[in-house]
Amino acid sequence: MDIFTLGIETSCDETACAVVKNGRELLSNVIASQADYHSVFGGVVPEIAARMHVEAIIPCMSDALEKANLSLNDMHAICVTYGPGLVGALLVGVSAAKGLSEISGIPLVPVNHINAHISANYLAHPDLQPPFVTLVVSGGHSEIINVSDWNTFEFIAGTRDDAAGEAIDKIARVLGLGYPGGPKMDNIAQNSDSSRFAFPKPSAGNGLDFSFSGIKTYALNVLHQYEQRNEKIDIPSFAASYQSAIANVLSENAVEACLQLGYNTICIAGGVSANSFLRERIAETASKYQINIYMPPLHLCTDNAAMVAAAGYYNYIKGIRADLSLNAYPSIQHMKD
Ligand code: KG4
Ligand code: ZN
């Protein structure tokens, strides 16, 4: 029997709903992005995000069901992101999902946003099987995760301070590229000299942890020095060198984690996994060790609900359920699945 899951995602500034069949087949994927409203503020304003989710959530869900040619009653599970993320934003999705589940009798399935990002790969790659290592890199996360089963995730290493996306967005903002700066910085740096500027390695000592606050401060200092000297900086090469330094350490540490676990597969996930420098570097580094590399297509790297519906499918078949006491959590420490 086919299993249909409805995914609901409101953890940050995208209101998203999607329908997935058997955890692997995307039937619809609707995203109402608020990015333009936040860009004037140079970042996501939590209260605006929550209010906009309230307006968008029901039309978004109706649209997702309509595009999938199915109705709510055809769904086997209502899967919702309950963290980590902005609490006010998350609560909109969680409340909508609870209400729907309560009136329809369809099981409510909680989904962790990080697990959802990893699961974007399940939609894109029918041959992908655990175990594997995933590098999750986004605006809020930079983590290496051991995925020993579809929904069994173990934290291996992470950032001690800023997330990779945060470090990229901050420098993009200072360069005047706008918000969100990641895709813009990636774009502007194409075909530029990535060895023009030398940056310190953004690692946190000998282990597999990252630290991006040092490289961010270093970049800010270089920009100040140019400004003080009234000298024009080669922005594309600066952006290429900066992203390259970040991509190098992310790739090296993910490959090292994979080798230590004795696995032969790495996935990347999260908004920063759309970065062309990272995609190229990790593919190169992995191939040196005959490690397979899987990446989501660009439209499934950033926040969406298809990944929530995919992760939700595996939670559903494992019997993971939530009831009306489900709450929203800003950080991963308080989450169960
Ligand atoms: O996964 P996501 O949509 O939201 C979070 O869960 O944080 O990730 C958003 C982050 C932002 O920092 C954005 O600038 C970054 O992903 N991003 C990129 C690229 N596309 C999105 N960073 C670098 N290069 C890109 N092409
Ligand atoms: Zn995300």
Side-chain angles (χ1 to χ4, degrees):
M1 184 188 77
D2 289 328
I3 304 233
F4 298 103
T5 50
L6 173 68
I8 299 177
E9 159 64 42
T10 63
S11 70
C12 192
D13 60 346
E14 323 279 7
T15 315
C17 296
V19 178
V20 162
K21 182 173 154 185
N22 300 326
R24 306 294 282 238
E25 196 184 322
L26 183 55
L27 300 186
S28 68
N29 187 22
V30 178
I31 303 177
S33 179
Q34 313 169 357
D36 289 348
Y37 294 90
H38 297 285
S39 66
V40 267
F41 302 101
V44 178
V45 182
E47 188 180 328
I48 295 179
R51 287 177 186 278
M52 294 194 74
H53 287 313
V54 170
E55 285 174 22
I57 187 79
I58 299 298
C60 185
M61 192 197 65
S62 306
D63 205 11
L65 288 168
E66 198 179 313
K67 290 205 162 88
N69 251 324
L70 293 167
S71 71
L72 183 62
N73 288 333
D74 297 315
M75 299 298 110
H76 294 86
I78 296 169
C79 314
V80 65
T81 304
Y82 73 111
L86 302 170
V87 167
L90 286 163
L91 281 171
V92 179
V94 167
S95 304
K98 280 195 213 178
L100 281 176
S101 167
E102 185 65 9
I103 54 158
S104 64
I106 300 166
L108 177 65
V109 173
V111 173
N112 174 319
H113 186 73
I114 306 299
N115 300 355
H117 271 301
I118 295 170
S119 305
N121 285 288
Y122 300 159
L123 292 165
H125 307 293
D127 60 324
L128 175 64
Q129 300 275 346
F132 54 84
V133 160
T134 304
L135 172 70
V136 183
V137 268
S138 72
H141 298 274
S142 300
E143 277 131 30
I144 299 175
I145 312 269
N146 173 5
V147 185
S148 55
D149 198 359
W150 298 110
N151 48 7
T152 308
F153 305 94
E154 185 201 352
F155 175 91
I156 299 178
T159 180
R160 299 268 178 94
D161 38 59
D162 292 356
E166 212 176 334
I168 290 176
D169 288 345
K170 169 77 189 184
I171 298 304
R173 189 156 65 232
V174 175
L175 290 172
L177 301 176
Y179 172 86
K184 292 176 176 129
M185 204 195 225
D186 194 358
N187 233 344
I188 201 174
Q190 294 303 309
N191 307 316
S192 310
D193 180 6
S194 62
S195 58
R196 167 79 181 74
F197 294 86
F199 284 100
K201 190 174 172 179
S203 71
N206 294 328
L208 296 176
D209 279 345
F210 308 109
S211 168
F212 295 107
S213 71
I215 190 173
K216 187 183 76 181
T217 310
Y218 185 92
L220 288 171
N221 286 340
V222 173
L223 293 172
H224 278 141
Q225 284 158 12
Y226 269 78
E227 202 181 315
Q228 276 169 350
R229 293 198 301 263
N230 229 344
E231 206 179 316
K232 218 169 160 273
I233 194 158
D234 173 358
I235 292 182
S237 299
F238 184 80
S241 307
Y242 185 66
Q243 289 172 96
S244 194
I246 291 175
N248 279 347
V249 75
L250 290 172
S251 305
E252 278 168 22
N253 291 12
V255 166
E256 182 56 35
C258 188
L259 293 172
Q260 283 180 14
L261 285 165
Y263 293 172
N264 64 1
T265 303
I266 296 178
C267 291
I268 60 173
V272 180
S273 68
N275 184 264
S276 64
F277 290 82
L278 175 62
R279 291 172 89 90
E280 198 181 315
R281 189 57 44 86
I282 199 161
E284 260 169 37
T285 317
S287 76
K288 278 189 204 148
Y289 298 92
Q290 283 82 46
I291 291 172
N292 307 310
I293 181 90
Y294 289 87
M295 313 180 192
L298 297 187
H299 72 281
L300 293 180
C301 289
T302 42
D303 289 348
N304 64 83
M307 65 187 197
V308 178
Y313 166 82
Y314 288 100
N315 284 355
Y316 172 76
I317 57 171
K318 202 177 177 183
I320 296 173
R321 304 283 185 271
D323 58 24
L324 291 181
S325 67
L326 181 67
N327 216 322
Y329 298 93
S331 66
I332 206 151
Q333 284 80 9
H334 303 99
M335 304 178 62
K336 288 187 209 84
D337 71 302

